[in-house]
Amino acid sequence: MRFYGFAVAVAMFGLSACAGGDARPGDTTAVAIDTSAAPTPAVSGTTTPAGSTGTMAPITGTTHEVRMVGDAKGYRFEPANITVKQGDGIKWTMVSGGPHNVAFDVATVPADVKPQLDANMGTDKMGELSSNMKMNPGETITVSFANIKAGKYPYTCVPHLAMNMKGVVTVQ
Ligand SMILES: [Cu+2]
């Protein structure tokens, strides 16, 4: 009788200790893993878009010039159509009739080009693919076309869009 009672007591103690020991730390660990696991992919997930936001690819070829003009004849880029090689750059110079800017068409630039082109515009921007305004003659906007795949890239001057101030960069 004594033996039996002792054995049951040990067994019950063991069971309850086991049950308590297994369930609680198990749950706590699972929660801890979930919590720490969630921010880790989130961080690397943030890093990937940040990386795909693009790293500026510097100009390795020729830098072409386009003038931004507003006068009695109207508002325009000169030349309005320009063809460059991949790796070339374009320097837009404010000549008259500003403010002017260079804004690529977010809707037509392919998704796989957008991050690189945006990065290649540097930090002198007021929005995605849209440069800051240039008010004074001689101010410039330089964009690299390195790592930009061949294609046609239409752009406009935001303040003079209604006056048809637009151009097309063709990358070969
Ligand atoms: Cu303009």
Side-chain angles (χ1 to χ4, degrees), residues 14 28 72 103 125 144:
T28 311
K125 284 179 301 193
S144 164

Side-chain angles (χ1 to χ4, degrees), residues 68-70 75-77 96-101 157-161 165:
M68 303 188 288
V69 183
Y75 293 90
R76 61 203 180 271
F77 293 105
S96 57
H100 302 297
N101 85 330
C157 165
V158 170
H160 302 124
L161 176 57
M165 185 169 174

Side-chain angles (χ1 to χ4, degrees), residues 52 109-119 129 147-150 153:
S52 73
V109 175
D112 61 340
V113 173
K114 219 177 268 183
Q116 185 68 63
L117 184 56
D118 192 56
L129 299 176
N147 284 358
I148 302 298
K149 71 177 180 185
Y153 299 98

